[in-house]
């Protein structure tokens, strides 16, 4: 009787150590269950050739194509000493060249005869402006007479094409799946039977068999629907349980005192809050008044006034004797927040100090680079309660930091923090403090329901009056070098009008950590891609070239904090005309006189990040200009991304594009949890309806059976899918 691997059995036992090692290291697959959940990304039909015309969008990516050999010829070079085999394959619409060199030409020359149909896998490259696969792996599809049996075995069948890697092609992964497929019978169905039957979904075992070995397209559709529901439902159950647990935690209600600090602050505001700011503030104040902790996500476009809303929430907490802490991801941002908040508050930020207001409080800054005397003073102000508001970096989390009565934690740009960091800060409250999470990265509704499903969401989508439009253009530096020259002329023109400019680069330079990465070095040595442009080199080039005579300074994360602060102060004061920086300026930096930003190697940044960076200009009354410089080929996906950023200022639209172009795994906090995303089938943008329905069902199931005692299959799936680390991630602190 054939061996049926147990679901949690290590793949070494079933597939052997060499194959198991590649699956583990390259694809993160360790057990039979992992492999069963490694679904095909598409299917090729026996009678249908895969479109080669789509490959221009997949430059530098590993692809698998099904095609027919049109011709093959051996060419010699180096006076006959070197040999090259060129094979042209076709799918009836497009053609693609395959190349083999040296001793590797003989086997494919015998096997890839004109008329042969095969699957080919390799990395899409470009040579002489033509797409090609160099030394691709291939698997003939049994079109010749001797392979008649193999051909009939899958005649009319769909051929699964798996997400593969350089060391293991799709068809080899298919053979690995065959070895573990019998164990699909052992899987425990997580969906409650009533839900599954009510929604007309096939059982899990059937779904796994149909996704890997479908007989028809209808099989694939049945399986996909079922597997999407599993992912959405189990995730929503985890979030529903989290929300329920949060509601049962105790918290001190924090209501602002009439005629207190908040009223005094509002009275001295030189402008009226936008309607959005007023609505969101009311939602936050309502939450703060309850006896369980607020868990609210405040998302708003760059420059929509989130800091003002957060400050008013902090003042409300200080009003009734509590303290508020704001956690910022970088020292530059923490200093910027401290400066802008003390400026907005004026004498109200000088409580207990000479000339300060009687109603005021102390606003302190705490960062890792502060000198000991200033640090000691800040720590004392926190523990005695003299400081009502503290703004800081990770330094806030250290054991030495103690609060008198921590009532509210505000986390700025939450995606920059790991869960442990947020938890460490929240644990400093005598009772769980209220939590306000802020992000300037707009998040579509379904993502908010999936990623932040344990948080109530508030959205600020109105920009305050006086904001200027930002024009964005792509500068194709390689195809049209004169466009780049014109970009520097535009910078000079803006400076000539009395304005200032940012130039952003992906790397610091001078042998920094990215250049020192041996993997990156070897890729660059292979001619794969030049290193990203660096702040230090670009600043030198600009000073000695197109921007000679202007005051050009640099800003990056490895500078001494006092130097960083000095550069930012001089830039804010207008003394520095051009700031060449890394993404340390991405969030929170506010210099209304800056009107132009040039982003070098813009293709190296994500869509949302480009949108964030662009939000640093056009913050005053003069219009903003953002120039996205790229050397990427016009037909590349990277250039399509840049064109999308240039085409709209709508952050929500861009976040949809961003999500559609990268796997949702990134969104689910892979970087924060260190665990691969549980979403393999569900697309958070396309499957809005499934997610919304799953959320409803999950809320009902958890209300009826919080410990899932009557649903052992669901409990098992929850434990497997959301191991301890993911559970922590979902807690969002």
């Amino acid at each position: 009787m054939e061996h049926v691997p147990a679901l949690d059995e290590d793949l070494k036992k079933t597939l052997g150590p060499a194959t198991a090692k590649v699956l583990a290291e390259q694809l993160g697959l360790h057990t039979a269950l992992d492999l069963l959940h490694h679904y095909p990304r598409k299917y090729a039909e026996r009678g249908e050739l895969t479109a080669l015309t789509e490959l221009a969008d997949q430059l530098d990516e590993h692809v698998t194509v099904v095609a027919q050999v049109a011709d093959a010829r051996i060419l010699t070079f180096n006076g006959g000493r070197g040999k090259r085999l060129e094979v042209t394959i076709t799918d009836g619409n497009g053609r693609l060249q395959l190349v083999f060199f040296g001793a590797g030409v003989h086997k494919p020359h015998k096997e890839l005869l004109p008329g042969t149909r095969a699957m080919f896998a390799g990395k899409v490259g470009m040579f002489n402006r033509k797409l090609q696969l160099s030394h691709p792996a291939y698997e003939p599809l049994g079109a010749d007479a001797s392979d008649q049996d193999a051909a009939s075995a899958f005649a009319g069948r769909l051929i699964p094409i798996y997400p593969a890697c350089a060391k293991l092609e799709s068809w080899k992964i298919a053979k690995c799946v065959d070895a573990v497929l019998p164990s699909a019978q052992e899987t425990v169905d997580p969906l409650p039977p009533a839900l599954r039957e009510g929604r007309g979904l096939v059982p899990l075992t059937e779904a796994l068999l149909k996704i890997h070995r479908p007989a028809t397209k209808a099989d694939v559709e049945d399986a996909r629907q079922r597997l999407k529901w599993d992912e959405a439902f189990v995730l929503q159950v985890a979030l529903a349980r989290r929300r329920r647990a949060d509601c049962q935690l105790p918290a001190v209600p924090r209501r602002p005192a009439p005629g207190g600090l908040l009223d005094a602050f509002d009275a001295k505001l030189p402008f009226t809050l936008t309607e959005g700011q007023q609505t969101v503030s009311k939602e936050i104040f309502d939450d703060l008044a309850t006896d369980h902790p607020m868990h609210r996500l405040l998302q708003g476009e760059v420059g929509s006034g989130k800091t003002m809303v957060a400050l008013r929430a902090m003042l409300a907490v200080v009003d009734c004797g509590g303290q508020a802490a704001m956690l910022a991801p970088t020292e530059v941002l923490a200093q910027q927040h401290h400066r802008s908040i003390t400026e907005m508050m004026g004498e109200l930020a000088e409580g207990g100090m000479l000339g300060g207001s009687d109603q005021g409080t102390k606003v302190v800054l705490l960062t890792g680079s502060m000198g000991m005397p200033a640090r000691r003073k800040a720590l004392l102000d926190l523990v005695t309660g003299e400081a009502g508001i503290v703004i800081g970096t990770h330094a806030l989390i250290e054991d030495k930091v103690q609060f008198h009565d921590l009532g509210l934690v505000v986390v700025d740009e939450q995606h920059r923090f790991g869960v442990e960091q947020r938890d460490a800060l929240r644990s400093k409250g005598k009772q769980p403090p209220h939590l306000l999470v802020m992000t300037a990265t707009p998040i579509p509704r379904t993502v908010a329901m999936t990623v932040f499903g344990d948080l109530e969401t508030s959205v600020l989508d109105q920009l305050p009056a006086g904001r200027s439009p930002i024009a964005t253009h792509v500068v194709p530096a390689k195809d049209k070098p004169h466009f780049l020259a014109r970009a520097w002329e535009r910078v000079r023109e803006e400076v000539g009008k009395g304005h200032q400019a940012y130039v952003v680069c992906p790397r610091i330079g001078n042998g920094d950590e990215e250049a020192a990465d041996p993997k990156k070095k070897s890729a660059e040595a292979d001619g794969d891609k030049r290193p990203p442009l660096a702040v230090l080199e670009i600043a030198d080039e600009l000073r000695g070239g197109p921007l000679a005579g202007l005051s050009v300074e640099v800003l990056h994360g490895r500078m001494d904090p006092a130097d960083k602060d000095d550069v930012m102060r001089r830039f804010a004061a207008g003394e520095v005309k051009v700031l060449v920086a890394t993404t340390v300026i991405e969030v929170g930096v506010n210099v209304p006189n800056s009107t132009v930003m040039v982003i070098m190697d813009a293709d190296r940044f994500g869509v949302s990040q480009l949108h964030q960076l662009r939000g640093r200009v056009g913050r005053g009354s003069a219009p903003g200009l953002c120039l996205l410089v790229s050397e990427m080929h016009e037909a590349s996906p990277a250039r399509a991304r840049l064109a999308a950023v240039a085409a709209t200022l709508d952050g929500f639209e861009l976040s949809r594009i961003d999500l559609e172009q990268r796997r949702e795994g990134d969104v689910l906090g892979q970087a924060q949890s260190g665990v691969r995303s549980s979403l393999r089938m569900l697309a958070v943008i396309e499957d809005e309806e499934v997610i919304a329905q799953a959320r409803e069902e999950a809320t009902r199931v958890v209300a009826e059976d919080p410990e899932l005692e009557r649903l052992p299959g669901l409990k098992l799936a929850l434990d497997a899918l959301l191991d301890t680390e993911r559970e922590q991630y979902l807690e969002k602190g």
Side-chain angles (χ1 to χ4, degrees), residues 3 99 139-140 169 191 234-235 238 260-261 275 307 316 356 489 512 546 555 564 589 595 679 704:
H3 169 65
V99 287
E139 175 94 331
E169 296 83 22
L191 292 191
V234 175
L235 195 51
L261 181 56
E275 198 179 319
T307 310
E489 281 172 22
D512 62 9
L555 182 73
K564 275 193 279 199
V589 174
T595 54
L679 295 197
E704 289 170 7

Side-chain angles (χ1 to χ4, degrees), residues 336 466-471 490-491 494-495 497-504 567-581 585 589-598 613-626:
Q336 176 83 25
R467 279 303 167 89
S468 302
I470 306 169
R490 284 291 289 116
V491 171
E494 287 299 310
V495 172
K497 292 178 193 167
H499 297 303
Q500 290 157 277
Y502 296 101
V503 177
V504 181
V567 170
M568 270 317 296
R569 275 182 195 286
R570 288 188 295 117
F571 187 62
E575 294 163 31
V576 173
K577 298 302 177 191
V578 180
L579 190 64
V580 184
I585 60 146
V589 174
N590 182 24
V591 180
N593 192 42
S594 305
T595 54
V596 59
M597 175 178 284
V598 181
L613 285 164
R614 166 172 68 182
R616 300 302 109 210
V617 295
R619 298 175 79 86
S621 53
L625 173 66
C626 179

